[in-house]
Amino acid sequence: MPNGLFDDDETQTPMPVSCAIPESPLAARMRPVTLSEFIGHQAVVGPLSQLRKSIETDRLTSLLFWGPPGCGKSTLARIIAGATRAAFEDYSAVTSGVADIRKVIDAARSRMKRGEKTILFVDEIHRWNKSQQDALLPHVEEGTVVLVGATTENPLFELNSALLSRMRLFRFEPLSEDELRLVLERACKDHERGLGAMNVHIEDDAMRYLCGMADGDARRALNALEAAAMSVEPVEGARRINLAAAQEAAQQRAPRYDRVGDEHYNTISAFIKSIRGSDPDAGLYWLAVMLNAGEDPRFIARRLVILASEDVGNADPMALVLANAAVQAVLFVGMPESRLILSQTVCYLAAAAKSNACTVAIGRAEQEIATNGVGIVPAALRDPRSVMGKAVAGKAPYLYPHDYPAHYVDQQYLPEAVQSAPYYEPTQEGNEARVAARMAARRAPQEP
């Protein structure tokens, strides 16, 4: 029965979901084929979910599955293929272009005339460029095809808003360690598709290790389990996987991180918020995640400079000095030694006294201007060489602060119309407590 994307047979029947051939990797053989086998994502496809009811009643609308690798997006699409009476087209956004889309649409139109539906599954849909997305948009809107897409990238960034608005978005989270344990236990026991015939037994610490190192990716966990099972010699008819065998099979854990994807933004957000929250351990952890994944240390250093001003401010003025020095040192030294410079800076900023008073202050000043416009420069502050300055020369003399005790004299610096000051209100944290006391003394009524 033809099930390829470009078969000439217009009467293509639904693509069956069958077990993989015995030579396939364990992850392919253990792919669930029914909703009852599907593990995790109860909020998305649990017994009471709308999506499950849509699948069981064969009344699907266009869907978009978004989540990390190995969490079940493509598997659920193939389960849909086995459950639907519609023709199911399996399509990869990596290998095909606009011309291929037209062939799919032509076949779908022919089916539509016979009262048949077409479900088009597009894996890695984020790989589509704008012209490919635009080519399919009207056919999704008209119902010529029901589009089911899967992506590991944030669709808000990668898909046209017009196409996205016509699809129901479902967020898939990484599988939990308990869910991964169920996946591995099922693979060990399954005699038809799994490792049951090999009589595989996995020790508890090895199981915990495989579930932890997989980072929510069932495919990675199953691949490591299979490698471990193949590497151990059977003893009295059983293959026993201990922690050492699991570690050897898994090798180095690949970080769940993409320098231009969603995890990039999530990780840098966690990094900044940890330092702002004065937790140096968490700051160092997220720093290590980024450096281990190959993040540009210059990017990290620049973010630390911003944080030093935004979140530490005048509570510790040395924070900005150190952060700026870190940028220069990172540029001068390079990796891998830059990790030491960044580590020092993270520890200092996380442990430093915190104040966002300066950040709030500029926001207040900007709001004043946005609300009331820019006021007129007070007469005493005008440049005497300007037209307006010459007009008031001698009438409103400028008081030079250094001519007065403590180098301070009370005079008007803000425009007359400004009513919302003060903008800068120092906190009682660190150095800023001394700043607050000094400013309070200046603002106090002066004795005659």
Side-chain angles (χ1 to χ4, degrees):
M1 178 172 53
N3 60 15
L5 183 58
F6 311 122
D7 288 314
D8 294 330
D9 185 359
E10 292 181 348
T11 62
Q12 180 179 343
T13 53
M15 183 184 74
V17 180
S18 58
C19 298
I21 59 175
E23 292 78 12
S24 298
L26 178 64
R29 302 199 307 271
M30 290 304 301
R31 187 189 291 272
V33 296
T34 64
L35 286 173
S36 61
E37 290 185 354
F38 195 72
I39 292 176
H41 313 297
Q42 291 301 297
V44 174
V45 73
L48 301 179
S49 68
Q50 290 185 352
L51 178 56
R52 188 176 188 125
K53 293 176 183 176
S54 298
I55 296 171
E56 292 173 341
T57 58
D58 201 7
R59 294 180 177 177
L60 285 175
T61 57
S62 291
L63 310 170
L64 180 60
F65 300 152
W66 169 32
C71 67
K73 305 182 300 298
S74 299
T75 294
L76 183 56
R78 287 171 171 79
I79 290 174
I80 291 172
T84 184
R85 291 185 297 275
F88 192 93
E89 299 272 17
D90 193 354
Y91 180 92
S92 173
V94 177
T95 58
S96 304
V98 173
D100 302 323
I101 296 173
R102 292 195 182 102
K103 293 181 182 179
V104 174
I105 298 304
D106 289 342
R109 282 185 179 139
S110 298
R111 298 187 194 104
M112 200 173 187
K113 292 176 182 177
R114 300 193 298 267
E116 300 174 9
K117 293 191 301 182
T118 300
I119 295 176
L120 171 60
F121 172 57
V122 182
D123 201 9
E124 298 188 87
I125 195 171
H126 60 274
R127 300 291 188 93
W128 264 355
N129 58 38
K130 186 178 185 300
S131 64
Q132 290 171 305
Q133 295 181 38
D134 288 344
L136 193 62
L137 178 60
H139 309 294
V140 173
E141 187 168 14
E142 294 166 4
T144 307
V145 294
V146 175
L147 177 61
V148 179
T151 178
T152 57
E153 303 296 330
N154 189 332
L156 301 179
F157 299 149
E158 302 296 336
L159 264 65
N160 293 353
S161 58
L163 183 61
L164 187 59
S165 69
R166 289 159 176 80
M167 306 177 74
R168 293 174 61 195
L169 175 62
F170 293 91
R171 180 67 191 266
F172 284 61
E173 299 294 338
L175 295 178
S176 69
E177 292 191 14
D178 288 340
E179 290 166 341
L180 287 173
R181 177 182 285 267
L182 292 176
V183 170
L184 297 184
E185 288 175 347
R186 177 183 293 175
C188 288
K189 296 175 183 176
D190 191 311
H191 282 257
E192 182 180 352
R193 294 182 288 165
L195 305 175
M198 297 173 63
N199 197 13
V200 171
H201 298 271
I202 179 168
E203 296 179 3
D204 193 58
D205 56 353
M207 176 70 81
R208 286 197 304 270
Y209 174 80
L210 290 178
C211 293
M213 72 87 204
D215 282 335
D217 186 332
R219 186 183 300 109
R220 185 185 301 172
L222 287 167
N223 287 341
L225 172 64
E226 183 175 32
M230 294 299 183
S231 68
V232 297
E233 294 294 331
V235 177
E236 297 180 355
R239 295 175 185 260
R240 301 188 181 278
I241 301 174
N242 58 22
L243 178 59
Q247 291 173 331
E248 177 65 24
Q251 295 297 322
Q252 185 175 358
R253 176 187 308 203
R256 189 172 65 243
Y257 188 87
D258 183 344
R259 285 178 54 184
V260 296
D262 209 43
E263 283 305 308
H264 163 82
Y265 297 103
N266 286 337
T267 305
I268 194 63
S269 176
F271 176 64
I272 294 300
K273 289 171 182 173
S274 298
I275 301 172
R276 179 185 296 142
S278 300
D279 189 333
D281 295 327
L284 290 169
Y285 176 87
W286 296 117
L287 173 65
V289 167
M290 290 187 287
L291 293 177
N292 187 51
E295 182 59 80
D296 187 345
R298 297 171 298 177
F299 165 74
I300 301 171
R302 287 193 297 268
R303 292 303 300 264
L304 291 175
V305 172
I306 297 168
L307 182 142
S309 183
E310 179 181 7
D311 297 304
V312 179
N314 288 337
D316 187 344
M318 279 302 297
L320 183 57
V321 176
L322 179 65
N324 192 59
V327 172
Q328 301 303 316
V330 165
L331 292 173
F332 179 70
V333 173
M335 287 294 286
E337 288 81 3
S338 284
R339 55 191 280 278
L340 308 177
I341 298 159
L342 293 171
S343 174
Q344 178 189 353
T345 310
V346 166
C347 292
Y348 187 96
L349 295 180
K354 303 294 190 300
S355 171
N356 71 338
C358 295
T359 302
V360 172
I362 186 60
R364 289 172 176 170
E366 290 170 340
Q367 184 59 45
E368 169 77 32
I369 294 169
T371 303
N372 301 315
V374 179
I376 299 173
V377 177
L381 305 186
R382 295 172 190 168
D383 188 325
R385 295 167 295 182
S386 68
V387 173
M388 293 183 66
K390 291 177 181 177
V392 296
K395 298 179 182 178
Y398 169 62
L399 304 180
Y400 188 55
H402 297 295
D403 290 340
Y404 295 84
H407 302 264
Y408 174 78
V409 60
D410 187 21
Q411 65 180 321
Q412 181 183 348
Y413 293 99
L414 282 168
E416 292 280 358
V418 173
Q419 302 294 326
S420 59
Y423 306 133
Y424 178 45
E425 296 182 288
T427 69
Q428 294 300 311
E429 299 299 321
N431 178 74
E432 208 162 40
R434 294 189 290 273
V435 175
R438 186 162 56 244
M439 291 184 64
R442 289 171 178 171
R443 289 170 176 167
Q446 300 295 311
E447 294 184 2

